[in-house]
């Protein structure tokens, strides 16, 4: 029987057992009043989504030490560095710069993934499109909701509509 998701900041947050639980958890997070707590709970939600897609996932990995990183995910030989943003404003060049700084501290084979519920500025999208040496996947709210609502889809398994 599936457990209900209760967003928590600590490490004893219950594990989710199904994709539908993730969609429900996302809906509850949307109504959360504390943005800092919502951000941490959002990271846990992304962690579980990737686990359900058979990725090995680590919260707060030291992959880009000394920079703090939200998540890293591995699927076979593929490695991803994830930055999760749930803020009122669209992710901008400052957010992209932070992600690129973290990527420079990792192997060249690591792919950056920027998840932004509010979307991305046009300048950021154009820059990611122009700079193809270090690929960065962009996942917005629409992409995420599509992934959370489908058992056949995950954020990094196939090409999201915003991949650049």
């Amino acid at each position: 029987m599936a457990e209900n998701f209760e967003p928590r900041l600590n490490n004893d947050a219950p594990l989710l057992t199904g994709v539908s639980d993730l969609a429900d958890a996302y809906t509850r997070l949307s109504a959360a009043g504390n943005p800092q707590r919502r951000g941490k709970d959002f990271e846990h939600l992304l962690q579980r989504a990737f686990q359900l897609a058979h990725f090995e996932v680590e919260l707060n990995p030291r992959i880009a030490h000394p920079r703090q990183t939200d998540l890293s995910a591995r699927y076979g030989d593929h490695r991803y560095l994830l930055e999760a943003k749930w803020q009122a404003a669209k992710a901008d060049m400052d957010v992209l710069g932070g992600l690129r700084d973290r990527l420079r501290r990792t192997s060249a084979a690591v792919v950056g993934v920027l998840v932004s519920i509010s979307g991305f500025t046009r300048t950021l999208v154009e820059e990611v499109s122009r700079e193809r040496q270090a690929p960065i996947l962009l996942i917005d709210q629409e992409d995420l909701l599509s992934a959370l609502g489908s058992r056949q889809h995950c954020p990094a398994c196939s090409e999201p509509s915003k991949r650049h």
Side-chain angles (χ1 to χ4, degrees):
M1 185 167 189
E3 293 181 34
N4 289 328
F5 177 67
E6 297 175 16
R8 297 182 190 161
L9 283 174
N10 54 31
N11 289 335
D12 66 345
L15 291 179
L16 301 172
T17 56
V19 174
S20 64
D21 290 335
L22 293 177
D24 293 342
Y26 178 85
T27 300
R28 284 193 288 274
L29 284 178
S30 296
N34 181 330
Q36 184 176 10
R37 179 177 174 145
R38 180 184 62 207
K40 289 296 182 188
D41 291 340
F42 183 46
E43 292 171 12
H44 285 279
L45 181 128
L46 290 174
Q47 176 187 27
R48 188 60 184 144
F50 277 88
Q51 287 171 337
L52 287 169
H54 307 288
F55 282 75
E56 295 175 33
V57 186
E58 185 178 353
L59 274 172
N60 300 314
R62 297 182 57 85
I63 187 172
H65 182 73
R67 295 291 307 261
Q68 185 272 334
T69 301
D70 293 337
L71 298 136
S72 69
R74 179 188 305 261
Y75 188 84
D77 294 336
H78 303 285
R79 184 109 188 234
Y80 303 89
L81 185 152
L82 288 89
E83 183 69 16
K85 295 292 181 190
W86 192 325
Q87 53 197 23
K90 292 181 177 186
D92 60 15
M93 292 300 293
D94 288 339
V95 173
L96 180 61
L99 178 58
R100 283 187 172 156
D101 183 54
R102 287 171 180 83
L103 285 169
R104 279 192 289 276
R105 298 169 186 275
T106 68
S107 159
V110 175
V111 174
V113 179
L114 180 53
V115 182
S116 174
I117 295 304
S118 297
F120 311 95
T121 64
R122 181 173 22 181
T123 305
L124 181 147
V125 173
E126 290 170 354
E127 177 64 18
V128 167
S129 295
R130 198 174 13 258
E131 193 64 39
R132 296 198 176 264
Q133 295 87 330
I136 295 177
L137 303 176
L138 301 178
I139 300 174
D140 63 13
Q141 181 177 14
E142 183 180 334
D143 295 325
L144 182 64
L145 289 174
S146 174
L148 294 180
S150 171
R151 295 179 189 276
Q152 303 301 318
H153 186 81
C154 71
C157 295
S158 62
E159 295 188 42
S161 63
K162 302 290 188 278
R163 184 175 180 167
H164 297 280

